[in-house]
Amino acid sequence: MTIRTARPNRGQRFRPRTHCLKKLDATVVEMQDPKNGVKGSEQKLNVTTIPHAIAGETPYFWPTQQWVPEDSDYAIYLAKRNIRKKGMLEAYEQVDYNHLHEWLNHKWDFIVMQATEQYKAGRDRNKADRVVFDCQERAFWIVNRPPVSLSHFLYMFGKTSNIFYQQAIMRSKVKSSVSLGALVKYITSYKNHDAFLAPCLPSNPWETDHDAYWTLNMRRVDVPTKMRVERWSFSLFELLTDLRGRDDFKVFLKKEFSGENLAFWEAAEELKWGTASSMSAKAETIFKTFLAPGAPRWINIDGRTMGLTVKGLEHPHRYVLEAAQTHVFMLMKKDTFFRYLKSPTYKEIQKKALSPEAHNFSPAQLEENARNRSAGIHPIILWQQEEEEKAKAAAASAPVDVKAVMSKIDRKK
């Protein structure tokens, strides 16, 4: 199934106002009349010459055209904008770019080629026309950009389904009693963590307008709740997904002098979800740090996986480290994770964990909470704060240049 078949026809939304738009089109055509209209000039769009263009107006972006924007068209636009901005896209554009790069990876070379040709053609226009055309194009895609999140969801769902079916075919048949037993065990483990089945403690912020739940469950809070710590024990995936749990896991690995595997896993995640402009540099850094002979944080993976990874790094892409990352994840899952659950580090955080008492607000207090409701912190701001903390931590752990420090001291003297 392609995204075009899953997406509703975008032309439908224009039909109620097509009559008005046609009148506007007719007015613009009259304005472009060479004798009685507004003075204009020829404008070249790629290989097409548009006569009597007014301030860069082109019928290409007129709503009455009712052409259905496809994923490849939007990908070409983002690739062209990425070239123009030198990798510095807006936050939502970067997310869409990453998803489309994964979704359309099989024809990404063609998309980049088209984007490069359009970018070169755009540079040949005069500045005024170029600015107007860029504004029109950006406004068009802000309104008509495809639902990339849905594309990514369908792609990942299809990818996961294929993997599931392959595994199901290869494994031996399981009795229905065993399967149902596993399902019951899963539901029993997670039922207290499901907001539909159990109440939020101390209260549901959407109902009480009180932000205690958000404060207690911030991404890197000092002391987590008992519910949160309990969830870490469900699986290694749950532990690594929670940044606070990952930090605690790092403390345990540091005590055991075995933090290379987790550091490599995190580096592979950064490569997977980072910007396209920094992909090659990150891949080279990861290779020198973890995979090269004599690397400072060398990881132990099997020869076949190492060979595939090293060969893939000749032409790096987002998922070039996926095989090695999966191998390292399974090593941590089978050994390190269970030792962590039995360690004093995990038991200590269990003792310190908070057990918030339930709020019992009266109707008057609920009204007061609604009046004093505070604005939440934007996710981008939180992400920027985390990046700053990460940069400070990296700077603190970096080796100190003794000569540079001594030279500064000498200059002060």
Side-chain angles (χ1 to χ4, degrees):
M1 181 176 68
T2 63
I3 297 305
R4 253 193 307 177
T5 58
R7 188 187 309 140
N9 186 0
R10 291 179 173 269
Q12 296 291 336
R13 77 164 89 176
F14 296 117
R15 288 181 181 176
R17 54 193 178 119
T18 302
H19 181 66
C20 296
L21 293 172
K22 285 183 177 179
K23 286 185 177 180
L24 290 174
D25 291 354
T27 302
V28 174
V29 170
E30 290 180 5
M31 291 171 62
Q32 292 177 329
D33 186 85
K35 294 182 178 180
N36 302 321
V38 180
K39 185 179 179 180
S41 60
E42 288 189 353
Q43 183 184 52
K44 291 186 177 180
L45 176 63
N46 293 344
V47 294
T48 304
T49 301
I50 302 172
H52 310 292
I54 302 171
E57 292 287 346
T58 61
Y60 183 75
F61 293 118
W62 284 358
T64 50
Q65 298 297 321
Q66 297 188 20
W67 63 284
V68 181
E70 298 193 19
D71 303 295
S72 56
D73 298 327
Y74 186 42
I76 292 171
Y77 163 72
L78 288 179
K80 179 173 63 174
R81 186 165 172 78
N82 187 58
I83 296 171
R84 184 185 303 119
K85 294 293 183 179
K86 298 180 180 179
M88 301 298 291
L89 297 175
E90 299 288 342
Y92 76 93
E93 291 176 333
Q94 187 64 60
V95 173
D96 292 350
Y97 182 89
N98 293 341
H99 288 174
L100 284 169
H101 189 281
E102 178 184 356
W103 172 251
L104 302 172
N105 191 46
H106 59 286
K107 56 179 180 180
W108 196 252
D109 291 339
F110 171 76
I111 289 171
V112 173
M113 181 184 69
Q114 290 286 326
T116 305
E117 291 297 325
Q118 291 188 18
Y119 174 70
K120 291 179 180 178
R123 288 189 301 182
D124 296 335
R125 304 189 191 100
N126 61 59
K127 185 176 180 180
D129 289 345
R130 184 169 66 248
V131 171
V132 171
F133 182 82
D134 292 344
C135 291
Q136 290 179 358
E137 187 177 29
R138 189 176 183 191
F140 176 84
W141 284 115
I142 288 175
V143 176
N144 296 282
R145 66 192 183 105
V148 182
S149 57
L150 175 62
S151 307
H152 182 64
F153 169 76
L154 293 173
Y155 171 70
M156 294 303 296
F157 177 78
K159 184 178 179 181
T160 306
S161 300
N162 290 335
I163 295 174
F164 173 78
Y165 289 136
Q166 290 175 3
Q167 292 176 346
I169 292 172
M170 294 174 64
R171 72 165 63 101
S172 57
K173 302 301 180 183
V174 180
K175 292 183 178 180
S176 58
S177 58
V178 177
S179 178
L180 292 173
L183 181 61
V184 170
K185 182 180 178 181
Y186 178 87
I187 294 174
T188 304
S189 300
Y190 280 90
K191 68 177 182 180
N192 293 329
H193 299 264
D194 192 325
F196 289 102
L197 303 178
C200 299
L201 293 177
S203 62
N204 189 332
W206 302 107
E207 296 175 354
T208 64
D209 292 305
H210 197 275
D211 61 355
Y213 178 82
W214 303 125
T215 305
L216 292 171
N217 290 279
M218 289 183 68
R219 299 182 73 177
R220 279 199 163 103
V221 69
D222 291 334
V223 183
T225 62
K226 286 189 179 297
M227 294 282 289
R228 189 171 178 179
V229 174
E230 179 189 4
R231 188 159 182 149
W232 299 348
S233 65
F234 291 169
S235 67
L236 179 60
F237 178 78
E238 291 284 356
L239 178 63
L240 297 184
T241 302
D242 190 332
L243 294 181
R244 179 61 183 83
R246 196 189 302 178
D247 290 341
D248 202 62
F249 191 42
K250 286 180 184 177
V251 172
F252 166 73
L253 294 175
K254 189 175 181 180
K255 291 179 180 178
E256 293 207 343
F257 303 98
S258 58
E260 292 80 11
N261 286 342
L262 180 58
F264 173 77
W265 184 89
E266 287 185 317
E269 285 292 296
E270 290 181 5
L271 176 67
K272 188 183 298 183
W273 301 108
T275 59
S277 58
S278 61
M279 194 184 305
S280 298
K282 280 185 179 179
E284 184 178 358
T285 302
I286 292 172
F287 175 75
K288 292 180 179 177
T289 306
F290 298 99
L291 301 173
R297 307 194 70 181
W298 187 77
I299 59 171
N300 185 16
I301 59 178
D302 63 275
R304 180 177 177 275
T305 305
M306 178 68 80
L308 291 173
T309 304
V310 172
K311 185 177 180 181
L313 285 171
E314 295 176 1
H315 303 284
H317 53 85
R318 296 187 181 278
Y319 300 94
V320 69
L321 300 174
E322 190 160 7
Q325 186 185 22
T326 303
H327 179 81
V328 166
F329 181 87
M330 294 305 296
L331 288 178
M332 292 191 293
K333 179 181 177 181
K334 293 177 181 179
D335 179 35
T336 320
F337 175 61
F338 291 105
R339 287 193 286 110
Y340 164 72
L341 296 179
K342 298 176 183 178
S343 68
T345 304
Y346 182 69
K347 292 178 180 178
E348 183 179 354
I349 198 67
Q350 279 182 314
K351 292 179 182 178
K352 292 182 179 179
L354 303 175
S355 296
E357 296 183 0
H359 287 159
N360 294 314
F361 292 118
S362 64
Q365 288 173 319
L366 292 176
E367 292 181 4
E368 183 68 20
N369 291 344
R371 283 194 296 269
N372 299 328
R373 184 191 301 129
S374 59
I377 301 177
H378 198 279
I380 294 180
I381 297 177
L382 289 176
W383 176 77
Q384 290 174 345
Q385 292 174 353
E386 290 172 3
E387 290 297 315
E388 290 175 1
E389 292 176 2
K390 192 185 298 182
K392 290 179 182 177
S397 61
V400 179
D401 190 346
V402 180
K403 293 183 179 179
V405 175
M406 293 302 295
S407 62
K408 288 182 180 180
I409 295 174
D410 294 337
R411 284 198 298 269
K412 289 181 179 179
K413 290 180 179 180

